Amino acid sequence: MAVPADTDRSLVRIEVADLIRLAALAADAEAELFARNPHGSGRYAGRLLGRALCQGAALHYVSKKNGVKDFDVWSFYAQYDDWPFPARWRGTRDFGPSKFGRYSGDPPRYSGRRVDLLGRSLPVRPGTDAADALRRYLAARRTASAKALAAKAVVLIGPENRAGEIVWPAANRVS
């Protein structure tokens, strides 16, 4: 399905292969972040719980109705007691030319849909199940980020063997 000319949202179905590509883009950006800041954010290398597609694109994956303006990918880490993952970190990547087209409002440097990358640490132990940790985080809605993410949908994109697993809404209900 081509991107309709009269909309900025792609209505093309998101496949598991697309989710895996998003996870790889996030991993690449985070590896660069960790290399630049080995004693800060770099401490989180090896503490990844999972990655998730969130917000509108995740809602589109679940409902097939929302459309995709951009991709919001969040990486969640097991938090150190003395140092949370830098909540203000935000990276971007270009999904590149694809079936999703590009959002006309993005700068020309994006040849495809923009991928916004964010990260958070959660107060759990390394090895905690990513979906369980995310459901607890979203259900508690203690932060502005948790409230915003819980308002739409969250879909695992990593670990790879769970790509496409719907984490939120918890009962897989989308209105």
Side-chain angles (χ1 to χ4, degrees):
M1 173 189 280
V3 179
D6 61 344
T7 182
D8 283 329
R9 291 187 179 271
S10 171
L11 299 175
V12 174
R13 183 179 175 153
I14 301 170
E15 305 287 341
V16 170
D18 303 316
L19 300 177
I20 292 168
R21 174 162 167 66
L22 289 166
L25 290 169
D28 179 60
E30 290 161 20
E32 290 175 9
L33 172 69
F34 294 166
R36 284 192 313 268
N37 304 294
H39 301 294
S41 55
R43 293 177 59 205
Y44 278 90
R47 294 181 71 89
L48 180 70
L49 299 169
R51 292 191 174 88
L53 178 64
C54 301
Q55 303 287 80
L59 190 57
H60 180 67
Y61 181 84
V62 173
S63 73
K64 319 283 188 282
K65 298 176 190 171
N66 190 66
V68 176
K69 183 177 108 179
D70 61 11
F71 294 102
D72 295 305
V73 174
W74 288 67
S75 296
F76 295 94
Y77 293 89
Q79 186 169 310
Y80 280 109
D81 291 337
D82 66 335
W83 186 269
F85 186 87
R88 295 186 189 269
W89 177 74
R90 182 173 182 263
T92 59
R93 285 291 190 265
D94 184 354
F95 193 83
S98 73
K99 63 187 178 185
F100 301 109
R102 74 177 295 279
Y103 173 61
S104 63
D106 277 339
R109 71 177 176 268
Y110 294 100
S111 61
R113 297 284 163 171
R114 187 182 71 244
V115 181
D116 293 329
L117 306 166
L118 301 104
R120 287 293 182 279
S121 52
L122 303 179
V124 298
R125 299 176 68 127
T128 299
D129 181 79
D132 290 342
L134 285 169
R135 285 186 190 107
R136 286 193 305 271
Y137 170 71
L138 296 167
R141 298 177 195 224
R142 290 191 181 119
T143 67
S145 294
K147 288 174 189 169
L149 296 178
K152 295 204 177 169
V154 176
V155 177
L156 284 181
I157 63 174
E160 187 174 321
N161 67 334
R162 294 177 70 184
E165 182 179 326
I166 300 167
V167 172
W168 194 265
N172 298 339
R173 292 182 312 271
V174 176
S175 50

